Amino acid sequence: MALIAAHPAHAEMDDLVGQALQLQNTGQSDAAYRTLKPQLEARSSDPDFNYIFGLAAADSGHKAEAILAFQRVLAANPEHTQARAELARVYAMAGDIDTAREQFDTVVNDPSLPDPVRQRFDRIVRDYDKQITGGGSSVSGFVDVSGGYDSNINAATDHDTIVIPLFAAFGPGTLGTGAREQGKAFHEVLGGLSGVTAVSRQTRLFASMLGNWRENYDSSAFDQAAVTGTAGVGHTLANRDVLSLSVQAQQFWLGGDSYRLSLGGIGQYTKRLGNGEALSFSAEYFRLNFDGDPLRDADRYGVGASYAGRTFIASISGGHEETRRDAGDHLSFDFARVNLGIEQPVASKLALVAGIAGEVRRYDRADPLFLARRKDEQLDVSLGLKALLSDDIYVRPRLTYSRNWSNFALNDYDRMTASMAVRYEF
């Protein structure tokens, strides 16, 4: 909120208060605060001193001292509109919206208040009312269209033949086209819509729908599509930490046919650390149902932790996927994953976007064909740019590389993609 006025209670002031006021008006709040602080005890009954000291303390981050200073001004002069408005502002800065609104109510009812200032304060009071009731409702979304080239659309080996231990006596076997690496151009469309509505000041309901469709040129067998729906509730605790619980469902199609349905839930606790940073802990459970392949049906359990900074996010997660039929237990596995993502501005409308992730998977039982337990280590790297064309449109050129090392030759592969995307957010 802009200051109502920068004038003290009396027309005249001494040099010390005048010097502090000049510093305050030129944006040097810290210097103004340091100038007045040594005289606080001696001049605690001076309204001029307290008013300027309150301004300097508020704008330099000393909110408790500012509140006390403005209260001393009002104790000497309850009709000091500027001091009451500033007191309301500091209460709002401190997170006490209820008290801030009460103070502003007193200000806007002052008949001497100029109409333009009254209108501004009316808007502030309406905004506080909205915050008190939880913030109202909002809807947002995005559409992302991209195209490029994928060196390995089916995440397959580049070998033409492999030896399967169970049939080793027959020599190497020739792999079919679908089991060998295929490079194709592709295009993809992603879209999402999300909404949130307040139940109370601390509790909100949220829901989202995310869809994507990817088509490969001249190879429809590996086209992909998915729809993911999420709904849940988030509750802000007294210390401003957030606890959320949500349910999620996803339908995945491969080659135009239904491939997998997953249903589950996610719980998350987020600790706010200030300066836009946060620490989160999560736990999840999903039931996976594979069409036409009941041996792969599984229950997936996972836990994770992440740290979000202003320009990066780091996370670690792990868990277990357990098939629901003993005959498929060679497909059950433990997993652990670490991830680092960075979005670093390099110009006013340009940011460098990069990521690196590693995952380890260890399977429970020996595979009946390869006569050994499968072991995988995977590395994923991405590098791109995010160029803002307008407030809600940007373009994103991107390169990605994946390498999966496996003791099964059939699952040992690498993959590279190059793409260009245009994204619209609303």
Side-chain angles (χ1 to χ4, degrees):
M1 182 194 74
L3 300 180
I4 299 175
H7 303 291
H10 301 100
E12 298 180 0
M13 68 184 79
D14 58 52
D15 291 340
L16 178 67
V17 175
Q19 178 187 356
L21 177 60
Q22 184 176 5
L23 291 170
Q24 175 69 18
N25 287 341
T26 56
Q28 302 178 68
S29 301
D30 285 332
Y33 172 81
R34 292 194 300 270
T35 298
L36 298 179
K37 176 69 173 179
Q39 298 297 318
L40 178 60
E41 184 175 352
R43 302 189 59 175
S44 61
S45 61
D46 184 341
D48 289 353
F49 179 93
N50 282 316
Y51 180 71
I52 304 304
F53 179 75
L55 293 178
D59 293 338
S60 60
H62 304 276
K63 294 185 282 291
E65 291 182 79
I67 289 173
L68 292 174
F70 291 130
Q71 286 176 339
R72 289 194 295 270
V73 175
L74 292 172
N77 180 11
E79 305 303 320
H80 196 305
T81 304
Q82 297 103 317
R84 192 171 298 280
E86 291 299 334
L87 178 61
R89 179 174 73 99
V90 182
Y91 274 124
M93 291 168 58
D96 189 349
I97 303 299
D98 296 277
T99 305
R101 191 200 185 288
E102 291 174 3
Q103 295 295 332
F104 269 121
D105 266 345
T106 303
V107 173
V108 297
N109 289 327
D110 184 347
S112 67
L113 195 67
D115 284 342
V117 177
R118 187 188 310 279
Q119 292 171 4
R120 184 189 313 139
F121 284 175
D122 281 341
R123 290 195 298 270
I124 292 173
V125 169
R126 287 195 298 270
D127 182 63
Y128 286 166
D129 285 340
K130 186 177 180 180
Q131 293 183 50
I132 289 171
T133 58
S137 302
S138 64
V139 176
S140 61
F142 75 94
V143 177
D144 189 297
V145 180
S146 65
Y149 182 81
D150 187 335
S151 70
N152 192 352
I153 62 172
N154 52 337
T157 181
D158 59 358
H159 297 298
D160 294 325
T161 63
I162 63 170
V163 175
I164 299 177
L166 184 63
F167 305 110
F170 299 97
T174 302
L175 296 177
T177 303
R180 298 198 306 269
E181 178 181 285
Q182 297 183 39
K184 299 288 182 180
F186 71 92
H187 58 264
E188 186 171 14
V189 179
L190 295 89
L193 190 67
S194 63
V196 60
T197 186
V199 176
S200 67
R201 188 186 308 183
Q202 287 80 31
T203 305
R204 291 171 172 79
L205 301 177
F206 59 87
S208 66
M209 185 68 68
L210 178 67
N212 74 284
W213 170 68
R214 170 170 167 154
E215 183 179 47
N216 303 296
Y217 292 99
D218 301 325
S219 183
S220 61
F222 297 102
D223 292 349
Q224 299 178 18
V227 175
T228 305
T230 305
V233 58
H235 182 76
T236 302
L237 305 177
N239 62 357
R240 299 182 69 244
D241 293 351
V242 178
L243 177 65
S244 67
L245 298 172
S246 61
V247 293
Q248 188 176 93
Q250 183 190 74
Q251 175 63 54
F252 181 76
W253 293 268
L254 181 64
D257 298 323
S258 177
Y259 181 75
R260 184 189 65 229
L261 174 66
S262 65
L263 300 168
I266 304 168
Q268 181 168 299
Y269 182 88
T270 300
K271 175 71 176 178
R272 296 184 179 182
L273 304 176
N275 298 320
E277 301 177 351
L279 182 64
S280 296
F281 303 92
S282 64
E284 65 179 33
Y285 164 76
F286 282 90
R287 169 159 284 205
L288 310 178
N289 298 310
F290 292 82
D291 293 350
D293 193 359
L295 290 184
R296 293 181 64 88
D297 291 349
D299 296 313
R300 184 180 178 95
Y301 308 86
V303 295
S306 65
Y307 178 83
R310 297 180 64 86
T311 61
F312 74 94
I313 182 168
S315 65
I316 182 170
S317 60
H320 181 74
E321 188 170 307
E322 180 69 26
T323 57
R324 295 199 293 274
R325 293 172 175 82
D326 288 341
D329 200 34
H330 62 285
L331 300 172
S332 302
F333 61 90
D334 296 318
F335 64 91
R337 185 175 180 85
V338 294
N339 182 81
L340 175 65
I342 298 171
E343 183 173 321
Q344 179 64 50
V346 294
S348 61
K349 295 185 177 182
L350 185 66
L352 176 69
V353 182
I356 183 169
E359 183 171 339
V360 175
R361 296 180 294 275
R362 292 292 184 266
Y363 287 75
D364 287 5
R365 289 186 183 177
D367 186 276
L369 295 179
F370 288 88
L371 306 179
R373 294 185 182 185
R374 181 176 163 185
K375 300 177 181 179
D376 285 14
E377 293 90 30
Q378 183 171 329
L379 174 68
D380 299 301
V381 181
S382 65
L383 180 65
L385 294 173
K386 181 179 178 181
L388 192 66
L389 301 182
S390 67
D391 290 340
D392 46 24
I393 299 177
Y394 64 83
V395 295
R396 176 182 53 82
R398 186 183 184 211
L399 296 173
T400 70
Y401 175 75
S402 296
R403 177 70 171 96
N404 190 71
W405 293 273
S406 179
N407 60 330
F408 293 1
L410 189 65
N411 304 107
D412 192 273
Y413 68 88
D414 62 1
R415 181 180 190 179
M416 180 173 287
T417 69
S419 64
M420 174 69 76
V422 178
R423 185 183 181 101
Y424 168 65
E425 297 181 347
F426 58 91

